[in-house]
Every structure is written in structure tokens, then in C-alpha cells.
Amino acid sequence: MPLATTQSGPTQFSRPFEFVRSSPIATIAIAQLFGTSLWFSANSAAPDLMHAWGIGISGIGLLTNAVQLGFILGTLSIALSGLADRYPASRIFVASAVCGALFNACFARFSHGLASAAGYRFLVGLSLAGIYPIGMKLVVSWAPNRRGAALAYLVGMLTLGTALPQGVRFMGATWKWQAVILTSSALALAGGFLILWLGDGPHLAVRANASGIRMGGVLGAFRSEQLRAAALGYFGHMWELYTFWTLTPLIITTALAARGQRLSVPGLAFLIIAIGAAGCILGGLWSRRIGSARVAAMALATSGACCAIVASAGLKLSPHAVLAILLLWGAAVVADSPQFSALSAEAAPPQQVGAVLAIQNSVGFAITIASIAVATSLYSRLGLSIGWILLPGPVLGLIGLYPAWAKARRD
């Protein structure tokens, strides 16, 4: 029997089902928002975990890197096994959302120290490999002719998903940390249910006869100068992005709360990370006028400038000026991300889009492990000067992206 109607007319489920089918990009974006709330769920409970388990900043960095490592191994497995381009993307997304919700719940209920917590966070990262890059493929399968704008909405939702646990922590200030974590699991299940209703788009057909993809075959796609430029720009961007998100509550404490300002650190952290969603959407709109390469270059330059300002003058500026710069940084630091994915999807061979995006994600997240480890271990000594550690990311990203944005300027 059809889901949306019965013999007596529309059922109570018809309206939401019609919205899901008629607004696939919005549906995928909402599902991405819910699914990626798993990513930084542990960071929202950082003060409680540091107190309960007697760990420091580097311990929180370890939990974050456990997720990153799981994500890297997951994306590599998806790419090299052929899973990303062999099976329906919607099925991979749904299975990954369910597994991620389960492992995240286990982290909340059964972790009693850093070792067990890191194991569960690793499994959450493994599950996220079937949510983030596969979500990008789903978007391309529904809207192949407007990748930049569509992916901007998707990464905007990833950004909101990253900020969401901080928002939940702010709204439920009296909740136990386990309740905040379990809220992310419930949201991930809701995201999987939305994709289960939606299914796959009409483009990028499944390659049923693909038994796997040779590493050389995937890497061969990067002979394209435009694909290499997008990937190199993305790698520089990744050195900065997740480390900035990891350090945001600490930067707020150092720059504002420690100077006698009465503020809610989780609330401000939510705003600074979440404003990246607006940056992504605005960048997506601009990309339709000036191209993805130019938008990515502008975002890299802006976030690099914010790195330098906070590092060199963060403690000399007024609290309002610092907050304005942090909000600008939060908007710019992720605005380039969907444009890199759009450039890569456009330059990749059509039959390898899923694998190329997964490989690119895998390398990018490997870079975040080094960046997060270095920055969290040095933050107690450097404070806001940690911006100098992040600055090479956008600078090298601009250099790597140069062939793409130079071509866009000529065109």
C-alpha cells in the first residue's frame, strides 16, 4: 500500500512525505544536520568529562581525534572497496546513521574513562564516513547542475550539526552530560529516517558490477590540474577548520570569559560555529555569480586574516571587537568547504565521484588529526597565539588553489 495515501484519502503521513520527495536538497540538508550532530557531541560535555575523569585539554583532543581517525579509515574503506559507488547512497547513509547513534549512546552510557570513551568515539567516526561524503553524493545525485549552491546548504547543515551539541548544552544547562550526548543519537536516527523516506536521486547510477576500486585508479583522477587544485586548497582549509572548532570554547574563555566578561561559553561557542552555516549559504549564492574557486579563495583569505589578528592582537582588542572577529572567523572558516567539494565533483570522472570525494575527505581528515594534536597540546602555553599554528592552513590552501582561481579570473 502506498505510504502517502489510503483508500479513504491522504493519511497523516502524506504531507511530510510530500515535502521529503518534493524538496530533496532540503531533506538531505536536514538529515545531514541531525546526523553530524554526533561529531562534536563529546566536546559539548568537555568540562564535565575533564572534571569526572581528571583529564586535560589534550584528553579532549584525543577524543576528537578518535572520531577523526574513525572517519578517515571509514572513508578509505568506502572509497577503495567500491562501496561509495557500488551500493545505493541512501542505504549507506541510513545504516551509518543508525550505527552512529548506537555507538554514541554507548559512549554516553558505558564510558568510564578516556580509553573506553576513545573506542566508542572511534566507532562514531567510522559511522560518520557513511553520512558526510555519502550525503554529498546524494546531493549531487539530485542536483548535478547546481553543485556549488546545493553543497553549500549541505555543509551549512554539517556546520549547524557541529554546533548543535553546544546549543543543546546551553539550553539544557542543568542536564547531565549523558543527556546531551543521547540527544545527538536521537537526532541521528531522525536523519536516517528522512533519507530512508527520500531514497536516491535519478543521477549518478549505481555501478552494480564494481567489485572494488584500485588505489591507482582513484588516485589517477588527480592527474587533472583542476582536481589537484581543489584538493590542495581543501587540505589547507582542513588544517584550520576542525582545530578551530575544537578550540572555540577555549578561545572564548581566554579572550572573553577570563577578562571578566559574564557570558555563557556554550552559547557563544554555538553562535561562532553555527554562523558558519550562513557563511556556507552566502558562499553558495555567490558561487552562482563568481564561481566556486573565487568564493573558496576569498574565504581562505578571510579566515587566514582572522587567524593572524587573533594571534597578534586578540588580548589587546576590546571584547566586542574580539567577538566580532570570532564571528567573522566562524563564518569564513567553513564557507569554502562546499566549494572545494563542488570543484572536485565537477573535475572528477563521473563514475568515480563518490570515491574521489571519499579519498579527498580521508586525506583532509588525516591532516586534522595532526593539527588538533599539535594545537591542543600547545594551547595551554600559547593561548591565543595558537592562531599562528592555524595560519599555514589557509596560506598553503590559497597557494594550492591558485590554478583554479587564476583560471576563474581569466575566464
Side-chain angles (χ1 to χ4, degrees), residues 14-38:
S14 63
R15 287 187 179 178
F17 181 73
E18 287 170 5
F19 170 79
V20 166
R21 297 297 297 178
S22 63
S23 307
I25 302 304
T27 298
I28 298 167
I30 293 169
Q32 185 88 324
L33 163 65
F34 291 165
T36 53
S37 69
L38 299 171

PDB file of all heavy atoms in Angstrom, residues 14-38:
ATOM      1  N   SER A  14       1.011  11.961   4.787  1.00  0.00           N
ATOM      2  CA  SER A  14       1.146  12.402   3.406  1.00  0.00           C
ATOM      3  C   SER A  14       1.896  13.719   3.275  1.00  0.00           C
ATOM      4  O   SER A  14       2.741  13.869   2.404  1.00  0.00           O
ATOM      5  CB  SER A  14      -0.244  12.526   2.759  1.00  0.00           C
ATOM      6  OG  SER A  14      -1.015  13.506   3.422  1.00  0.00           O
ATOM      7  N   ARG A  15       1.605  14.685   4.142  1.00  0.00           N
ATOM      8  CA  ARG A  15       2.243  15.984   3.986  1.00  0.00           C
ATOM      9  C   ARG A  15       3.743  15.936   4.201  1.00  0.00           C
ATOM     10  O   ARG A  15       4.497  16.448   3.376  1.00  0.00           O
ATOM     11  CB  ARG A  15       1.584  16.998   4.929  1.00  0.00           C
ATOM     12  CG  ARG A  15       0.197  17.400   4.470  1.00  0.00           C
ATOM     13  CD  ARG A  15      -0.378  18.520   5.319  1.00  0.00           C
ATOM     14  NE  ARG A  15      -1.689  18.916   4.853  1.00  0.00           N
ATOM     15  CZ  ARG A  15      -2.432  19.845   5.432  1.00  0.00           C
ATOM     16  NH1 ARG A  15      -1.976  20.493   6.500  1.00  0.00           N
ATOM     17  NH2 ARG A  15      -3.623  20.150   4.951  1.00  0.00           N
ATOM     18  N   PRO A  16       4.233  15.339   5.313  1.00  0.00           N
ATOM     19  CA  PRO A  16       5.683  15.263   5.433  1.00  0.00           C
ATOM     20  C   PRO A  16       6.325  14.443   4.334  1.00  0.00           C
ATOM     21  O   PRO A  16       7.427  14.759   3.872  1.00  0.00           O
ATOM     22  CB  PRO A  16       5.899  14.626   6.819  1.00  0.00           C
ATOM     23  CG  PRO A  16       4.587  14.042   7.209  1.00  0.00           C
ATOM     24  CD  PRO A  16       3.551  14.854   6.519  1.00  0.00           C
ATOM     25  N   PHE A  17       5.654  13.374   3.874  1.00  0.00           N
ATOM     26  CA  PHE A  17       6.221  12.560   2.804  1.00  0.00           C
ATOM     27  C   PHE A  17       6.307  13.371   1.508  1.00  0.00           C
ATOM     28  O   PHE A  17       7.300  13.297   0.786  1.00  0.00           O
ATOM     29  CB  PHE A  17       5.362  11.313   2.581  1.00  0.00           C
ATOM     30  CG  PHE A  17       5.906  10.417   1.501  1.00  0.00           C
ATOM     31  CD1 PHE A  17       7.049   9.659   1.728  1.00  0.00           C
ATOM     32  CD2 PHE A  17       5.281  10.344   0.261  1.00  0.00           C
ATOM     33  CE1 PHE A  17       7.545   8.842   0.726  1.00  0.00           C
ATOM     34  CE2 PHE A  17       5.771   9.524  -0.735  1.00  0.00           C
ATOM     35  CZ  PHE A  17       6.911   8.762  -0.499  1.00  0.00           C
ATOM     36  N   GLU A  18       5.284  14.165   1.219  1.00  0.00           N
ATOM     37  CA  GLU A  18       5.305  15.008   0.024  1.00  0.00           C
ATOM     38  C   GLU A  18       6.428  16.036   0.108  1.00  0.00           C
ATOM     39  O   GLU A  18       7.094  16.330  -0.882  1.00  0.00           O
ATOM     40  CB  GLU A  18       3.953  15.711  -0.149  1.00  0.00           C
ATOM     41  CG  GLU A  18       2.846  14.772  -0.599  1.00  0.00           C
ATOM     42  CD  GLU A  18       1.475  15.442  -0.533  1.00  0.00           C
ATOM     43  OE1 GLU A  18       1.433  16.650  -0.221  1.00  0.00           O
ATOM     44  OE2 GLU A  18       0.474  14.745  -0.785  1.00  0.00           O
ATOM     45  N   PHE A  19       6.654  16.609   1.303  1.00  0.00           N
ATOM     46  CA  PHE A  19       7.751  17.568   1.461  1.00  0.00           C
ATOM     47  C   PHE A  19       9.093  16.895   1.194  1.00  0.00           C
ATOM     48  O   PHE A  19       9.951  17.434   0.500  1.00  0.00           O
ATOM     49  CB  PHE A  19       7.746  18.157   2.873  1.00  0.00           C
ATOM     50  CG  PHE A  19       8.981  18.974   3.166  1.00  0.00           C
ATOM     51  CD1 PHE A  19       9.104  20.270   2.708  1.00  0.00           C
ATOM     52  CD2 PHE A  19      10.036  18.416   3.884  1.00  0.00           C
ATOM     53  CE1 PHE A  19      10.248  21.013   2.954  1.00  0.00           C
ATOM     54  CE2 PHE A  19      11.188  19.151   4.149  1.00  0.00           C
ATOM     55  CZ  PHE A  19      11.282  20.455   3.676  1.00  0.00           C
ATOM     56  N   VAL A  20       9.285  15.694   1.747  1.00  0.00           N
ATOM     57  CA  VAL A  20      10.539  14.971   1.567  1.00  0.00           C
ATOM     58  C   VAL A  20      10.818  14.739   0.091  1.00  0.00           C
ATOM     59  O   VAL A  20      11.923  14.976  -0.402  1.00  0.00           O
ATOM     60  CB  VAL A  20      10.498  13.636   2.347  1.00  0.00           C
ATOM     61  CG1 VAL A  20      11.621  12.714   1.901  1.00  0.00           C
ATOM     62  CG2 VAL A  20      10.604  13.897   3.848  1.00  0.00           C
ATOM     63  N   ARG A  21       9.807  14.292  -0.653  1.00  0.00           N
ATOM     64  CA  ARG A  21      10.010  13.966  -2.065  1.00  0.00           C
ATOM     65  C   ARG A  21      10.099  15.212  -2.935  1.00  0.00           C
ATOM     66  O   ARG A  21      10.776  15.198  -3.951  1.00  0.00           O
ATOM     67  CB  ARG A  21       8.863  13.072  -2.559  1.00  0.00           C
ATOM     68  CG  ARG A  21       8.777  11.739  -1.869  1.00  0.00           C
ATOM     69  CD  ARG A  21      10.000  10.873  -2.093  1.00  0.00           C
ATOM     70  NE  ARG A  21      10.168  10.525  -3.503  1.00  0.00           N
ATOM     71  CZ  ARG A  21      11.179   9.807  -3.984  1.00  0.00           C
ATOM     72  NH1 ARG A  21      12.120   9.386  -3.165  1.00  0.00           N
ATOM     73  NH2 ARG A  21      11.261   9.535  -5.265  1.00  0.00           N
ATOM     74  N   SER A  22       9.421  16.289  -2.557  1.00  0.00           N
ATOM     75  CA  SER A  22       9.428  17.490  -3.398  1.00  0.00           C
ATOM     76  C   SER A  22      10.580  18.420  -3.067  1.00  0.00           C
ATOM     77  O   SER A  22      10.889  19.322  -3.847  1.00  0.00           O
ATOM     78  CB  SER A  22       8.104  18.250  -3.244  1.00  0.00           C
ATOM     79  OG  SER A  22       7.943  18.708  -1.915  1.00  0.00           O
ATOM     80  N   SER A  23      11.231  18.230  -1.922  1.00  0.00           N
ATOM     81  CA  SER A  23      12.350  19.091  -1.524  1.00  0.00           C
ATOM     82  C   SER A  23      13.540  18.237  -1.124  1.00  0.00           C
ATOM     83  O   SER A  23      13.942  18.204   0.045  1.00  0.00           O
ATOM     84  CB  SER A  23      11.930  19.986  -0.349  1.00  0.00           C
ATOM     85  OG  SER A  23      10.742  20.688  -0.632  1.00  0.00           O
ATOM     86  N   PRO A  24      14.125  17.527  -2.103  1.00  0.00           N
ATOM     87  CA  PRO A  24      15.182  16.576  -1.739  1.00  0.00           C
ATOM     88  C   PRO A  24      16.415  17.232  -1.146  1.00  0.00           C
ATOM     89  O   PRO A  24      17.011  16.698  -0.206  1.00  0.00           O
ATOM     90  CB  PRO A  24      15.509  15.888  -3.078  1.00  0.00           C
ATOM     91  CG  PRO A  24      15.036  16.832  -4.130  1.00  0.00           C
ATOM     92  CD  PRO A  24      13.836  17.506  -3.539  1.00  0.00           C
ATOM     93  N   ILE A  25      16.820  18.420  -1.657  1.00  0.00           N
ATOM     94  CA  ILE A  25      18.018  19.066  -1.130  1.00  0.00           C
ATOM     95  C   ILE A  25      17.800  19.494   0.314  1.00  0.00           C
ATOM     96  O   ILE A  25      18.659  19.304   1.179  1.00  0.00           O
ATOM     97  CB  ILE A  25      18.423  20.272  -2.001  1.00  0.00           C
ATOM     98  CG1 ILE A  25      18.660  19.834  -3.451  1.00  0.00           C
ATOM     99  CG2 ILE A  25      19.671  20.945  -1.446  1.00  0.00           C
ATOM    100  CD1 ILE A  25      19.682  18.732  -3.598  1.00  0.00           C
ATOM    101  N   ALA A  26      16.635  20.075   0.601  1.00  0.00           N
ATOM    102  CA  ALA A  26      16.319  20.465   1.976  1.00  0.00           C
ATOM    103  C   ALA A  26      16.278  19.247   2.893  1.00  0.00           C
ATOM    104  O   ALA A  26      16.762  19.288   4.036  1.00  0.00           O
ATOM    105  CB  ALA A  26      14.991  21.208   2.020  1.00  0.00           C
ATOM    106  N   THR A  27      15.717  18.143   2.403  1.00  0.00           N
ATOM    107  CA  THR A  27      15.627  16.924   3.208  1.00  0.00           C
ATOM    108  C   THR A  27      17.011  16.378   3.530  1.00  0.00           C
ATOM    109  O   THR A  27      17.300  16.010   4.676  1.00  0.00           O
ATOM    110  CB  THR A  27      14.812  15.862   2.458  1.00  0.00           C
ATOM    111  OG1 THR A  27      13.486  16.355   2.246  1.00  0.00           O
ATOM    112  CG2 THR A  27      14.748  14.566   3.245  1.00  0.00           C
ATOM    113  N   ILE A  28      17.890  16.323   2.510  1.00  0.00           N
ATOM    114  CA  ILE A  28      19.256  15.826   2.740  1.00  0.00           C
ATOM    115  C   ILE A  28      19.992  16.746   3.701  1.00  0.00           C
ATOM    116  O   ILE A  28      20.733  16.291   4.580  1.00  0.00           O
ATOM    117  CB  ILE A  28      20.012  15.706   1.403  1.00  0.00           C
ATOM    118  CG1 ILE A  28      19.324  14.689   0.491  1.00  0.00           C
ATOM    119  CG2 ILE A  28      21.459  15.285   1.639  1.00  0.00           C
ATOM    120  CD1 ILE A  28      19.810  14.727  -0.947  1.00  0.00           C
ATOM    121  N   ALA A  29      19.785  18.057   3.543  1.00  0.00           N
ATOM    122  CA  ALA A  29      20.456  19.021   4.423  1.00  0.00           C
ATOM    123  C   ALA A  29      20.025  18.837   5.872  1.00  0.00           C
ATOM    124  O   ALA A  29      20.850  18.859   6.791  1.00  0.00           O
ATOM    125  CB  ALA A  29      20.161  20.440   3.949  1.00  0.00           C
ATOM    126  N   ILE A  30      18.724  18.630   6.101  1.00  0.00           N
ATOM    127  CA  ILE A  30      18.223  18.432   7.471  1.00  0.00           C
ATOM    128  C   ILE A  30      18.763  17.118   8.038  1.00  0.00           C
ATOM    129  O   ILE A  30      19.174  17.043   9.205  1.00  0.00           O
ATOM    130  CB  ILE A  30      16.691  18.449   7.489  1.00  0.00           C
ATOM    131  CG1 ILE A  30      16.178  19.849   7.127  1.00  0.00           C
ATOM    132  CG2 ILE A  30      16.158  18.031   8.859  1.00  0.00           C
ATOM    133  CD1 ILE A  30      14.689  19.912   6.868  1.00  0.00           C
ATOM    134  N   ALA A  31      18.764  16.066   7.194  1.00  0.00           N
ATOM    135  CA  ALA A  31      19.301  14.779   7.639  1.00  0.00           C
ATOM    136  C   ALA A  31      20.780  14.905   7.984  1.00  0.00           C
ATOM    137  O   ALA A  31      21.266  14.301   8.957  1.00  0.00           O
ATOM    138  CB  ALA A  31      19.095  13.727   6.557  1.00  0.00           C
ATOM    139  N   GLN A  32      21.520  15.696   7.196  1.00  0.00           N
ATOM    140  CA  GLN A  32      22.940  15.934   7.482  1.00  0.00           C
ATOM    141  C   GLN A  32      23.104  16.679   8.811  1.00  0.00           C
ATOM    142  O   GLN A  32      24.002  16.373   9.602  1.00  0.00           O
ATOM    143  CB  GLN A  32      23.559  16.747   6.348  1.00  0.00           C
ATOM    144  CG  GLN A  32      25.061  16.950   6.460  1.00  0.00           C
ATOM    145  CD  GLN A  32      25.835  15.829   5.813  1.00  0.00           C
ATOM    146  OE1 GLN A  32      25.433  14.664   5.866  1.00  0.00           O
ATOM    147  NE2 GLN A  32      26.943  16.147   5.200  1.00  0.00           N
ATOM    148  N   LEU A  33      22.254  17.667   9.044  1.00  0.00           N
ATOM    149  CA  LEU A  33      22.274  18.404  10.311  1.00  0.00           C
ATOM    150  C   LEU A  33      22.128  17.446  11.485  1.00  0.00           C
ATOM    151  O   LEU A  33      22.907  17.484  12.450  1.00  0.00           O
ATOM    152  CB  LEU A  33      21.145  19.436  10.322  1.00  0.00           C
ATOM    153  CG  LEU A  33      20.741  20.037  11.667  1.00  0.00           C
ATOM    154  CD1 LEU A  33      21.872  20.862  12.254  1.00  0.00           C
ATOM    155  CD2 LEU A  33      19.483  20.882  11.525  1.00  0.00           C
ATOM    156  N   PHE A  34      21.134  16.566  11.403  1.00  0.00           N
ATOM    157  CA  PHE A  34      20.873  15.645  12.502  1.00  0.00           C
ATOM    158  C   PHE A  34      21.997  14.606  12.639  1.00  0.00           C
ATOM    159  O   PHE A  34      22.447  14.299  13.741  1.00  0.00           O
ATOM    160  CB  PHE A  34      19.536  14.939  12.295  1.00  0.00           C
ATOM    161  CG  PHE A  34      18.335  15.837  12.438  1.00  0.00           C
ATOM    162  CD1 PHE A  34      17.085  15.431  11.983  1.00  0.00           C
ATOM    163  CD2 PHE A  34      18.437  17.088  13.025  1.00  0.00           C
ATOM    164  CE1 PHE A  34      15.968  16.236  12.123  1.00  0.00           C
ATOM    165  CE2 PHE A  34      17.339  17.916  13.173  1.00  0.00           C
ATOM    166  CZ  PHE A  34      16.101  17.484  12.715  1.00  0.00           C
ATOM    167  N   GLY A  35      22.431  14.066  11.505  1.00  0.00           N
ATOM    168  CA  GLY A  35      23.456  13.013  11.546  1.00  0.00           C
ATOM    169  C   GLY A  35      24.797  13.501  12.062  1.00  0.00           C
ATOM    170  O   GLY A  35      25.459  12.821  12.856  1.00  0.00           O
ATOM    171  N   THR A  36      25.196  14.681  11.639  1.00  0.00           N
ATOM    172  CA  THR A  36      26.518  15.170  12.029  1.00  0.00           C
ATOM    173  C   THR A  36      26.534  15.794  13.419  1.00  0.00           C
ATOM    174  O   THR A  36      27.591  16.217  13.887  1.00  0.00           O
ATOM    175  CB  THR A  36      27.049  16.182  10.999  1.00  0.00           C
ATOM    176  OG1 THR A  36      26.085  17.227  10.793  1.00  0.00           O
ATOM    177  CG2 THR A  36      27.352  15.505   9.679  1.00  0.00           C
ATOM    178  N   SER A  37      25.388  15.839  14.099  1.00  0.00           N
ATOM    179  CA  SER A  37      25.406  16.268  15.498  1.00  0.00           C
ATOM    180  C   SER A  37      26.202  15.281  16.347  1.00  0.00           C
ATOM    181  O   SER A  37      26.595  15.601  17.474  1.00  0.00           O
ATOM    182  CB  SER A  37      23.975  16.405  16.033  1.00  0.00           C
ATOM    183  OG  SER A  37      23.348  15.140  16.141  1.00  0.00           O
ATOM    184  N   LEU A  38      26.456  14.091  15.805  1.00  0.00           N
ATOM    185  CA  LEU A  38      27.257  13.093  16.516  1.00  0.00           C
ATOM    186  C   LEU A  38      28.719  13.515  16.626  1.00  0.00           C
ATOM    187  O   LEU A  38      29.436  13.081  17.530  1.00  0.00           O
ATOM    188  CB  LEU A  38      27.200  11.746  15.775  1.00  0.00           C
ATOM    189  CG  LEU A  38      25.835  11.073  15.615  1.00  0.00           C
ATOM    190  CD1 LEU A  38      25.951   9.880  14.675  1.00  0.00           C
ATOM    191  CD2 LEU A  38      25.289  10.646  16.970  1.00  0.00           C
TER     192      LEU A  38
END
